[in-house]
Amino acid sequence: MKTFVKSKVGRIILIILGIALIAVLFVGGYEVFKLRRQNDYPTYYGALMNKPLPYTEAEMDYLVAVKRYQDPLFFNEKAYRKAMNSGTQTASDQHEKTQLLNWADSYQKRKPQELKANESWLPGTAVAVSIPKNWEQTYKDRQAPTGNFGKYILILNHKGNSGAFAYFKIIATQKPYNSVKDYAASKEGKKFAKINKSQYVFAQELKRQEQLRFNRSIDNVANSHNLINGFITYAPVTIHGRTVYAYQQTMPYTDGDVIESIYLFKIGNNIISANTYYRAKDQEKFKDSLEQAIAKAHTFELDYMRKDEPKRHGITKEEEKRKQEQQ
């Protein structure tokens, strides 16, 4: 062994092995380093990763700063900038989608400055909805299920004791449906289960739906012996100049008949469903105001680049302060 070590060939082999070992340790250590930083990015970064294209220059600079922080040695800024503003950009992974929802959650009560005083939004989207007079947002939005766009939901309730409420949610993007008509005619859009609500009190229906997380399938399980499964037909109607597809039914509750209306309409590239519920005796009181809210719904340009977002590391001043306090 000593002879081998002392020989020229032996020394060369040992040097090569040493270099290889150093390279393996470096690569492995660097990957651990990158993984730690990649899992440490803030919710705001997730929101930017999921915003509609294109990015503004400030937003792009912000993303570049985050990626360089995550991979300081091998990050290719030019290729990254080109890929991020490419029309072929693919959707972000589920973790980043969750980050978007968490960001929208914390931002929900601090209403985006681009909205008017009487408007709210479907969290994490660019869809704004006008809130009718004497109605308010419940802020129970975040209890909705994560599947089927469920968390992107806006829930409104009447301030009085009528029990009336409505919720708006994205049910499909432009693809694979080119229009609301296509969706309304599809098997997915027409699927329906008529639920016997006669055992429930409508005055408690909003609270009950919150507990169910506005998930009709869970509601159906609780009513499994009272279901009539089938398909419904939406009728095209014009509401204050906007074409929507609507369905309406009357449901008996223990405290009186209630009208459920389902409206399908398109905002930007999203097909929205607005479900409204009010007592039959209150139809004249609520129908027009809710339909006006549907007609006034619109897209808006959300300014993701807030003043409290520094360029380094993608960490907001508030988040940076909390990290320092924890350390």
Side-chain angles (χ1 to χ4, degrees):
M1 185 65 182
K2 288 182 179 180
T3 303
F4 174 78
V5 172
K6 290 180 178 179
S7 68
K8 185 176 180 180
V9 174
R11 286 197 300 270
I12 292 173
I13 291 174
L14 288 176
I15 291 171
I16 292 173
L17 289 175
I19 292 173
L21 179 60
I22 292 171
V24 169
L25 291 174
F26 171 78
V27 171
Y30 190 69
E31 287 302 315
V32 172
F33 166 82
K34 282 203 308 180
L35 185 62
R36 180 178 60 80
R37 287 198 167 186
Q38 285 172 353
N39 291 334
D40 192 36
Y41 64 76
T43 55
Y44 176 75
Y45 172 73
L48 275 185
M49 288 295 290
N50 288 278
K51 77 173 286 279
L53 296 179
Y55 290 108
T56 66
E57 185 177 351
E59 290 167 348
M60 199 68 250
D61 290 344
Y62 182 95
L63 291 173
V64 165
V66 175
K67 296 303 291 185
R68 184 175 287 113
Y69 168 72
Q70 293 175 344
D71 185 5
L73 294 181
F74 304 110
F75 171 62
N76 187 328
E77 179 179 340
K78 185 177 180 180
Y80 181 76
R81 285 181 180 272
K82 183 178 179 180
M84 290 305 290
N85 268 326
S86 168
T88 58
Q89 181 186 345
T90 56
S92 303
D93 62 27
Q94 187 58 45
H95 180 61
E96 286 166 347
K97 291 291 184 185
T98 301
Q99 292 285 60
L100 168 64
L101 294 172
N102 291 341
W103 175 83
D105 187 10
S106 64
Y107 197 56
Q108 179 71 327
K109 291 188 179 181
R110 295 183 296 141
K111 186 167 65 174
Q113 61 196 21
E114 296 81 5
L115 297 180
K116 297 177 182 177
N118 66 331
E119 290 182 334
S120 191
W121 67 325
L122 277 70
T125 75
V127 178
V129 175
S130 175
I131 301 178
K133 187 178 180 180
N134 296 322
W135 285 69
E136 62 186 352
Q137 187 174 353
T138 69
Y139 292 106
K140 295 291 185 179
D141 315 67
R142 320 311 298 153
Q143 295 182 10
T146 55
N148 195 29
F149 297 95
K151 272 205 167 186
Y152 303 93
I153 188 171
L154 170 67
I155 306 163
L156 307 177
N157 70 289
H158 187 250
K159 292 180 181 179
N161 59 2
S162 67
F165 68 97
Y167 63 89
F168 297 73
K169 67 177 180 179
I170 295 176
I171 52 175
T173 54
Q174 187 169 358
K175 295 179 180 181
Y177 305 103
N178 294 320
S179 67
V180 180
K181 182 179 180 180
D182 290 345
Y183 179 81
S186 69
K187 186 175 181 180
E188 179 187 0
K190 296 170 67 175
K191 245 186 340 186
F192 190 77
K194 191 170 183 179
I195 303 168
N196 185 345
K197 298 289 186 73
S198 61
Q199 60 184 299
Y200 300 117
V201 180
F202 180 67
Q204 298 296 318
E205 180 65 12
L206 176 57
K207 185 175 181 180
R208 192 179 76 85
Q209 287 292 333
E210 289 171 356
Q211 292 171 346
L212 295 173
R213 298 188 175 188
F214 294 86
N215 189 325
R216 183 181 288 274
S217 64
I218 297 177
D219 203 353
N220 290 349
V221 171
N223 290 273
S224 58
H225 299 295
N226 299 313
L227 292 183
I228 300 174
N229 294 292
F231 298 93
I232 61 177
T233 301
Y234 292 91
V237 296
T238 301
I239 298 176
H240 300 284
R242 168 167 281 165
T243 300
V244 305
Y245 285 75
Y247 170 81
Q248 188 176 95
Q249 69 164 332
T250 300
M251 299 182 295
Y253 280 76
T254 59
D255 51 349
D257 287 348
V258 169
I259 293 177
E260 175 191 48
S261 299
I262 305 173
Y263 301 91
L264 307 178
F265 55 100
K266 189 175 181 181
I267 300 292
N269 291 328
N270 299 306
I271 297 176
I272 311 293
S273 171
N275 292 46
T276 66
Y277 300 85
Y278 46 76
R279 298 176 196 271
K281 66 179 183 179
D282 292 332
Q283 182 169 11
E284 290 187 11
K285 183 178 179 181
F286 297 131
K287 185 174 187 290
D288 187 61
S289 62
L290 288 169
E291 289 188 344
Q292 283 192 42
I294 291 168
K296 292 177 181 177
H298 61 90
T299 57
F300 70 101
E301 290 295 326
L302 181 62
D303 179 12
Y304 284 77
M305 202 67 199
R306 298 298 168 187
K307 292 180 180 179
D308 67 338
E309 308 297 339
K311 289 186 177 180
R312 66 180 185 280
H313 306 341
I315 298 174
T316 67
K317 292 177 182 177
E318 291 179 359
E319 289 169 324
E320 194 170 43
K321 183 179 179 181
R322 283 197 299 270
K323 286 184 180 243
Q324 290 174 350
E325 289 174 349
Q326 290 172 358
Q327 292 174 354

